[in-house]
Amino acid sequence: MISDSFELINENFNHLCRHLEMLLANGFVPLLHGDVLLDKTKHWRIFSGDDLLLKLAEYFQVRQCIFLTSVPGILRSNGNVIEEFYIDENDIDEFQSQSTNIDVTGSMKNKVMIACDIIKKLNQCQVYILQGVSENAKKLLTSPIIDNKTFVLNGSTKILKR
């Protein structure tokens, strides 16, 4: 029997990660998302799927992270996609206004901050922000991990550090 509940105790995600290891070892492909969590110290809280991706990337030491969004990637004020976003060289605050919908998870600004954290913590990890329903998503999700640091998905964003 596999439990589908998850309690967060003192920011410890080891229980969840061990649970995922068991699922993966048994051939399952877990589909994860943010949700309302039982938190032993705060009673409950909203936990973003973006925040979850950071915790899982750290635990599993992944080589690739993909943020799927409703927009093609990180957008400039003129609507063009920033195809190569270099951490610590761009102003993250400008991305707060990219969503017109209410988003309790932090919207694009939170995605960019977490993507940058992943790149800082995992040197070998490639991080992309792209539209979920797109040819780029299909291409990236069905291809092997690309080791070429100069690879760019035209019309999507790759997070990089110099």
Side-chain angles (χ1 to χ4, degrees):
M1 178 83 178
I2 298 173
S3 169
D4 61 358
S5 64
F6 174 63
E7 294 178 11
L8 181 61
I9 303 168
N10 298 324
E11 296 296 313
N12 186 339
F13 290 83
N14 289 335
H15 173 73
L16 172 64
C17 292
R18 285 191 306 272
H19 187 78
L20 291 173
E21 281 179 315
M22 181 197 61
L23 290 171
L24 292 166
N26 285 295
F28 291 95
V29 178
L31 177 62
L32 304 172
H33 56 83
D35 208 341
V36 176
L37 293 182
L38 175 60
D39 184 320
K40 292 287 188 177
T41 57
K42 299 177 186 175
H43 302 293
W44 67 272
R45 72 187 237 198
I46 296 174
F47 190 71
S48 161
D50 301 336
D51 296 321
L52 180 59
L53 183 58
L54 174 61
K55 298 299 182 183
L56 294 175
E58 288 176 309
Y59 183 87
F60 288 104
Q61 294 293 296
V62 299
R63 292 179 49 215
Q64 189 174 66
C65 289
I66 304 168
F67 291 82
L68 298 176
T69 70
S70 60
V71 295
I74 302 173
L75 304 176
R76 289 187 168 84
S77 58
N78 65 5
N80 292 335
V81 175
I82 299 172
E83 292 184 345
E84 294 182 338
F85 182 92
Y86 289 91
I87 63 172
D88 298 328
E89 293 182 19
N90 296 69
D91 182 17
I92 294 174
D93 288 332
E94 71 182 84
F95 305 116
Q96 185 64 36
S97 62
Q98 285 199 6
S99 176
T100 56
N101 298 329
I102 295 172
D103 185 345
V104 296
T105 66
S107 195
M108 185 59 79
K109 180 180 179 181
N110 194 53
K111 284 176 184 24
V112 172
M113 288 176 20
I114 290 173
C116 290
D117 284 346
I118 291 170
I119 290 292
K120 288 176 185 175
K121 293 177 181 186
L122 303 169
N123 282 331
Q124 301 304 315
C125 187
Q126 298 175 352
V127 180
Y128 295 91
I129 299 176
L130 60 141
Q131 192 164 23
V133 181
S134 69
E135 284 301 314
N136 278 343
K138 182 178 175 182
K139 179 179 177 183
L140 195 57
L141 292 170
T142 59
S143 299
I145 294 174
I146 302 154
D147 288 323
N148 184 351
K149 292 186 185 233
T150 62
F151 176 79
V152 174
L153 278 174
N154 292 322
S156 297
T157 303
K158 182 176 183 181
I159 309 297
L160 302 160
K161 74 175 171 183
R162 294 210 189 267

